[in-house]
């Protein structure tokens, strides 16, 4: 049911959004804004000689906020002497000095760098015997009450909508307590704990009731990966314990602070014509018409005037209708995105094709962030480009060594020892390395960084697999490039940001190959992840090289990373595949044996990479089919980046 809700001050139509939501260009601008609100609150309380009571969160989201607060303390003299904090949660059991402890997290990121008094910060204790937890939780709440309640609660949000560790199913009046962690939460945490087996099953969390009692609540979310749950929390018609963050719809002073990517699914961003009058640009029209056709499950050419009018698009119809005219235009455009010649079709009229016909044989450079993204995300296109006579190069940007299991490393080290033995090659060195790796791995603690030897072995395994895929496609050694970008080589899950050396290595390769086409992974889902850093390095390299004459002929195409696909309205080139080509691609992906268990990474999705790739490529083909275009088995999708 629609509720009429116009914000009187701004005229903003809030019919869909039940929580104030502020969208920032990026997470760093958003973090700055939240930091300055906190600083203002602290200072206001200083003037009235009161304590400022903050509820704090951990996880990846608030890291930028804490960095800002530390900077404000150092540069602007912001004092935390009047600040009292209560953290939301802690894993249980957990020693405070463990690298996974939220006590350690908070100290390393905030408390050790500001002048907060040690007795003024509170974090749930993960070391208590179980039977003492309940009493401890009551005391924790009493302590919050004794200092006057939380002035401001900072929150992140889990993929399932959890706040704190109040998972789906939590009661709105839940108290601070020991909880069992959801599978989705554990999967998300497992990358920090080196696997699901080492990931805690329980945690202590502040209850929803105390969060709701905070005088103000700010929930922050970054990245496309959070976009669905943000929409469900903000726009969900009902407040439901399936999505605990939706309880905040009933808080009278809660705000969601999100970056552009996390806002993507909100109605005002995704289908703005349902919220306010829009300018019907080409892109907007295309998005609306394709969305309409998929929504009413009709081929584009079957849409009627009534469909447009009933779905908030009557002004478009008035401007450019009747429906038939708009339909045919959008249909043709979509038709023109389909091309079995990703490198351009030689000697063909290319005025309506996604790629140029000339030069007939192009030099192509495919960047692959990890050693398998090329085949997973664009394996069919990769093969076609090669088979259609283009000079295809592939550049593996990182070693990908972190994603190889310990027993795989041992298996290969062992192989070398056996190999030497069998062929009478004297190599004490190989045996020494094997023994060293074995000793290390046997005693390795969860999350301990691998010794360099083990990392090299793991990197070599992935290198061998990537090479096998490239041979399978038909490339020669000189067309295969291993970049080993330094930002990746921390040995930890957490990588460094893009560095000068990463950019220079990328520039050097582009300059040598002088490609007519660059393919890159345009993954926006994880703003801090490896794909984004790899993309940043390419974008910066291309910008710096832009003025070179060869760059005039260089087009950049973006495929999507391993998790997401481009929206149907964004696709500028769709490369179709037949059933046999789908099987070929599967064989190419199978070369990456060490990744066969790479199944549990995002959400509760437990499909293997090849299954996900196939489902995703089939889904794109299904969309084209539903929209009334030709039926293919699968399609790989690309968007052009104009630099
Ligand atoms: C952390 C917490 C959690 C996180 C949430 C999002 O104290 O209570 O609710 O805020 O899991 O985690 P990130 O920010 O890592 O995506």
């Amino acid at each position: 049911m629609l509720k009429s809700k116009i914000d009187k001050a701004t005229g903003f139509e809030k019919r869909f959004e039940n929580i104030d939501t502020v969208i920032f260009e990026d997470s760093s601008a958003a973090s700055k804004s939240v930091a300055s609100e906190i600083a203002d609150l602290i200072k206001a309380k200083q003037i009235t000689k009161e304590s400022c009571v903050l509820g704090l969160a951990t996880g990846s989201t608030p890291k930028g906020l804490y960095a800002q607060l530390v900077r404000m303390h150092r540069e602007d003299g912001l004092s935390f002497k009047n600040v009292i904090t209560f953290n939301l949660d802690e894993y249980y059991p957990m020693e405070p000095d463990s690298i996974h402890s939220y006590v350690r997290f908070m100290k390393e990121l905030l408390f050790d760098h500001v002048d907060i008094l040690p007795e003024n910060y509170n974090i749930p204790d993960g070391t208590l015997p179980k039977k003492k937890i309940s009493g401890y939780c009551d005391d924790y709440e009493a302590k919050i009450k004794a200092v006057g309640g939380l002035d401001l609660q900072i929150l992140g949000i889990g993929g399932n909508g959890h706040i704190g560790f109040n998972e789906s199913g939590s009661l709105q009046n839940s108290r601070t307590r020991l909880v069992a962690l959801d599978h989705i939460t554990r999967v998300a945490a497992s990358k920090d704990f080196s696997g699901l087996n080492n990931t805690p099953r329980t945690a202590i969390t502040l209850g929803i009731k105390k969060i709701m009692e905070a005088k103000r609540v700010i929930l922050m979310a970054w990245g496309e990966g959070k976009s669905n749950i943000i929409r469900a929390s903000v726009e969900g018609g009902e407040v439901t314990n399936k999505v605990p963050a939706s309880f905040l719809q009933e808080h009278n002073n809660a705000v969601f602070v999100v970056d552009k990517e996390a806002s993507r699914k909100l109605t005002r961003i995704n289908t703005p014509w349902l919220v306010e009058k829009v300018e019907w640009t080409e892109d907007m029209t295309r998005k609306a018409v394709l969305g309409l056709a998929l929504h009413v499950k009709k081929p584009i050419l079957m849409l009627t005037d009534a469909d447009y009018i009933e779905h908030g698009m009557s002004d478009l119809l008035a401007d450019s209708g009747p429906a038939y005219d708009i339909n045919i235009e959008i249909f043709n455009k979509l038709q023109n995105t389909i091309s079995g010649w990703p490198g351009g079709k030689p000697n063909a009229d290319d005025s309506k094709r996604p790629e140029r016909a000339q030069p007939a044989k192009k030099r192509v450079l495919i960047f692959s962030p990890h050693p398998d993204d090329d085949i997973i995300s664009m394996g069919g296109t990769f093969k076609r480009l090669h088979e259609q006579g283009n000079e295809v190069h592939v550049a593996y940007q990182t070693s990908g060594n972190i994603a190889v299991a310990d027993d795989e490393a041992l298996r290969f080290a062992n192989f070398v020892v056996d190999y030497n033995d069998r062929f009478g090659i004297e190599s004490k060195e190989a045996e020494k390395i094997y023994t060293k790796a074995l000793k290390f791995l046997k005693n390795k603690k969860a999350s301990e960084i691998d010794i360099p030897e083990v990392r090299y072995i793991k990197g070599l395994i992935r290198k061998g697999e990537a090479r096998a895929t490239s041979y399978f496609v038909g490339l020669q050694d000189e067309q295969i490039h291993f970049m080993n970008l330094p930002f990746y080589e921390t040995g930890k899950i957490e990588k460094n940001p893009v560095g000068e050396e990463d950019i220079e290595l990328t520039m050097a390769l582009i300059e040598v190959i002088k490609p007519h086409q660059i393919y890159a992974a345009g993954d926006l889902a994880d703003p801090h992840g490896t794909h984004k850093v790899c993309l940043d390095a390419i974008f910066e390299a291309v910008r710096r090289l832009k003025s070179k004459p060869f760059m005039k002929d260089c087009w950049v195409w973006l495929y999507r990373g391993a998790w997401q696909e481009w929206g149907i309205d964004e696709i500028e080139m769709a490369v179709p595949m037949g059933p046999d080509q789908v099987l070929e691609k599967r064989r190419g992906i199978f070369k990456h044996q060490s990744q066969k268990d790479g199944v549990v990474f995002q959400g509760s999705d437990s499909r293997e990479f090849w299954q996900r790739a196939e489902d995703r490529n089939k889904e794109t083909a299904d969309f084209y089919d539903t929209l009334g275009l030709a039926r293919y088995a699968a399609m790989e999708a690309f968007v052009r980046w104009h630099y």
Side-chain angles (χ1 to χ4, degrees), residues 369-487:
H370 297 103
D372 53 1
D373 293 301
D374 53 342
I375 190 79
I376 290 175
S377 291
M378 56 170 290
T381 308
F382 188 179
K383 217 161 177 352
R384 274 195 184 214
L385 285 164
H386 171 72
E387 285 166 3
Q388 291 171 347
N390 300 290
E391 181 189 319
V392 182
H393 292 258
V394 60
Y396 298 104
Q397 291 170 283
T398 68
S399 69
N401 56 18
I402 201 97
V404 176
D406 294 344
D407 58 343
E408 285 281 307
L410 281 178
R411 186 179 132 199
F412 279 84
N414 212 343
F415 175 88
V416 176
V417 174
D418 283 354
Y419 178 97
N420 291 344
D421 197 34
R422 179 73 184 78
F423 295 109
I425 302 167
E426 271 278 338
S427 177
K428 292 248 165 355
E429 232 6 76
E431 234 159 291
K432 235 169 68 194
I433 292 172
Y434 174 72
T435 322
K436 190 171 172 192
L438 183 67
K439 194 166 149 225
F440 169 78
L441 290 173
K442 277 213 159 134
N443 301 309
K444 183 175 158 181
K445 292 194 203 76
S447 236
E448 193 176 343
I449 294 179
D450 282 335
I451 52 172
E453 287 84 348
V454 172
R455 268 191 273 162
Y456 294 148
I457 297 171
K458 290 183 173 181
L460 284 177
I461 293 172
R462 297 212 69 182
K463 188 172 178 184
E465 292 170 347
R467 204 188 277 127
T469 304
S470 295
Y471 289 164
F472 175 77
V473 171
L475 265 46
Q476 311 278 329
D477 279 323
E478 58 276 17
Q479 292 163 280
I480 311 169
H481 309 268
F482 293 96
M483 300 179 74
N484 285 320
L485 292 183
F487 85 87

Side-chain angles (χ1 to χ4, degrees), residues 56-62 88-89 102 155-158 162-165 226:
L56 298 179
T58 52
S60 62
T61 308
L88 276 170
D89 40 24
Y102 286 164
L155 296 174
I157 182 169
H162 74 209
I163 47 179
F165 277 137
K226 296 275 167 80

Side-chain angles (χ1 to χ4, degrees), residues 527-539:
H528 312 291
T530 297
H531 282 217
K532 181 66 171 49
V533 182
C534 285
L535 187 64
D536 286 345
I538 297 170
F539 279 179

Side-chain angles (χ1 to χ4, degrees), residues 631-643:
R631 167 83 244 180
Y632 291 98
M635 279 176 156
E636 289 174 345
F638 302 88
V639 165
R640 197 173 152 204
W641 180 57
H642 297 268
Y643 53 89

